[in-house]
Amino acid sequence: MMPADPLDPVAHGATLTIDLDALVANWRLLGERAGTEASAVVKADAYGIGIEPAVTALARAGCRTFFVAHVSEGIRARKVAPEATIYVLNGLLPGSCDRYAEHALSPVLGSHEELLEWASFRQTGAKVRPAALHVDTAMNRLGLWAGEGLNLARERSGVIAAADIGLLMSHFASSEDETDPANARQIAAFAEIAAALPEIPASLKNSSGHFLKDCPSYQLTRPGYALYGGNPTPGKPNPMRPVVGLEATIIQVREVEAGTHVGYNGRWTAKGKRRLATICLGYADGYPRNGSWTDTTTGGAALLDGALCPFVGTVSMDLIIIDVTEAPAGAAQRGAHVTLIGGQLDLEAVGAGAKTIGYEILTNLGRRYARRYLGL
Ligand SMILES: *Cc1c(COP(=O)(O)O)cnc(C)c1O
């Protein structure tokens, strides 16, 4: 028996379109804006769009440096980018050095213990690429605390030299909010440590960092979300091109009278006569159940022929009900397509409707859709 054609929309019910040309254009735009080399952060399956196609397209366009979260993701990126520098953000799990050697991956070292473990692994004569050193300037999550980093930097022939550090980096905690005074403090703390290790290339900017005033670009930037079309300047027009579009098919249309309860547990009640449509997509596809629209909470929406159609009741595993009463006459038909991500339903709007952020919408994109890649 033949498996279902991965592109056959009628076999799937929902189609995810991923525009790799837009991805590459976004990467170029960020590099030009920074005036320095831009890497690409492709952790979490390239924020849900697929690590192999994303890395292939970006490497072909000239991207030489990638960041992933885990060694397993690094191995996948390595297969399609044999020459690239691939940094693993989560760094060294105890005893993992040989995996880095085997796949020519570079750990992002985030503590003194990791520095020591890597330095002694190098002393065994292992052939490895340079590592990165992560300095924590705000988050208290990963990285050497900045003061500790400064002390190590001053020991000229110490562990930093022994570990062969090829990149010094830190990560913003709130760069999407340009009014947050924490940004300036992080910029200053990182400048101090970068000045103490002037021979090591440095990297500070994530997506939103590209749009902060008074932030140096150093030698490398590390955008993720904005590459995939997310808005790095929330509340302002999005400078990025959309990369992801999601469409689902209507399977049924019906009319209900005032007082009708709809969906699991009847959590939504019609306030008047309404036209409802049921679409082929649900939480098993990665659409958050928190997008449910009940009598007491607002939720997500779909676009039908340009009209915004709010969800009705709870998001189920494979289905969502939408209110198509306000859609243009005749648009709501069995077999018609509605947009879940696209147009005014950008990643930020979809995230807000589901009480989360666009990042989580992207990284949860399901495996069940027909996936159509443009520009492959
Ligand atoms: C995820 C991540 C990035 C990318 O952040 P975006 O906000 O998606 O651009 C950059 N640096 C580090 C350390 C990260 O963990």
Side-chain angles (χ1 to χ4, degrees):
M1 218 169 41
M2 294 283 289
D5 174 355
L7 291 180
D8 179 1
V10 206
H12 293 266
T15 303
L16 186 67
T17 303
I18 294 156
D19 185 345
L20 296 173
D21 292 331
L23 171 75
V24 166
N26 287 340
W27 175 73
R28 290 213 170 98
L29 187 137
L30 292 166
E32 278 156 24
R33 194 179 163 91
T36 193
E37 183 182 340
S39 70
V41 180
V42 294
K43 61 194 181 191
D45 202 25
Y47 288 49
I49 76 159
I51 193 167
E52 288 85 3
V55 170
T56 303
L58 289 164
R60 196 184 293 151
C63 181
R64 301 182 300 169
T65 309
F66 295 91
F67 287 84
V68 295
H70 301 288
V71 167
S72 60
E73 297 174 339
I75 294 171
R76 286 174 64 191
R78 171 59 72 221
K79 286 220 171 81
V80 290
E83 307 295 327
T85 298
I86 301 173
Y87 288 109
V88 178
L89 288 163
N90 286 1
L92 289 184
L93 296 182
S96 64
C97 289
D98 56 345
R99 312 296 197 288
Y100 284 87
E102 189 181 339
H103 301 283
L105 303 174
S106 301
V108 177
L109 304 172
S111 68
H112 199 181
E113 291 104 298
E114 287 182 49
L115 268 169
L116 290 171
E117 186 169 336
W118 186 248
S120 52
F121 183 65
R122 286 191 71 245
Q123 273 153 18
T124 66
K127 209 173 148 279
V128 287
R129 301 224 183 172
L133 180 62
H134 192 164
V135 180
D136 194 334
T137 50
M139 298 257 283
N140 285 292
R141 188 178 68 166
L142 278 183
L144 280 180
W145 190 242
E148 195 186 359
L150 272 176
N151 288 340
L152 291 179
R154 287 183 187 122
E155 302 169 15
R156 276 280 134 202
S157 56
V159 66
I160 290 184
D164 187 23
I165 300 301
L167 185 73
L168 186 67
M169 57 175 267
S170 190
H171 190 42
F172 278 117
S174 35
S175 53
E176 77 288 351
D177 176 5
E178 62 174 359
T179 67
D180 192 324
N183 294 317
R185 287 199 295 273
Q186 286 194 265
I187 291 168
F190 189 66
E192 195 181 357
I193 181 136
L197 292 163
E199 66 286 0
I200 304 182
S203 172
L204 179 58
K205 289 179 171 175
N206 64 343
S207 294
S208 295
H210 289 74
F211 299 86
L212 280 180
K213 283 191 214 75
D214 305 319
C215 181
S217 291
Y218 295 102
Q219 286 72 34
L220 187 72
T221 67
R222 303 187 315 275
Y225 188 52
L227 293 177
Y228 309 102
N231 189 353
T233 57
K236 292 191 186 159
N238 189 350
M240 313 315 297
R241 270 174 62 178
V243 173
V244 172
L246 179 58
E247 291 209 328
T249 310
I250 294 178
I251 30 178
Q252 278 202 8
V253 182
R254 71 181 65 213
E255 298 216 335
V256 297
E257 300 297 330
T260 309
H261 301 296
V262 179
Y264 279 119
N265 308 109
R267 298 239 177 96
W268 182 91
T269 313
K271 295 210 175 65
K273 195 177 164 116
R274 308 302 292 174
R275 247 169 104 68
L276 306 182
T278 304
I279 63 173
C280 286
L281 174 136
Y283 63 75
D285 297 291
Y287 202 107
R289 195 166 170 278
N290 265 342
S292 298
W293 195 309
T294 70
D295 291 335
T296 52
T297 54
T298 60
L303 288 168
L304 174 58
D305 242 16
L308 199 63
C309 302
F311 290 179
V312 167
T314 50
V315 170
S316 355
M317 187 186 295
D318 315 303
L319 300 166
I320 296 175
I321 305 161
I322 62 175
D323 184 339
V324 295
T325 316
E326 315 301 335
Q333 302 250 6
R334 175 171 170 253
H337 297 296
V338 300
T339 300
L340 279 302
I341 302 175
Q344 72 182 97
L345 289 176
D346 59 15
L347 291 168
E348 286 66 43
V350 175
K355 295 119 195 140
T356 181
I357 54 175
Y359 285 74
E360 196 178 4
I361 298 297
L362 265 182
T363 54
N364 280 342
L365 289 173
R367 306 298 317 172
R368 181 155 75 154
Y369 305 126
R371 281 193 174 216
R372 201 157 61 96
Y373 286 94
L374 308 180
L376 197 61

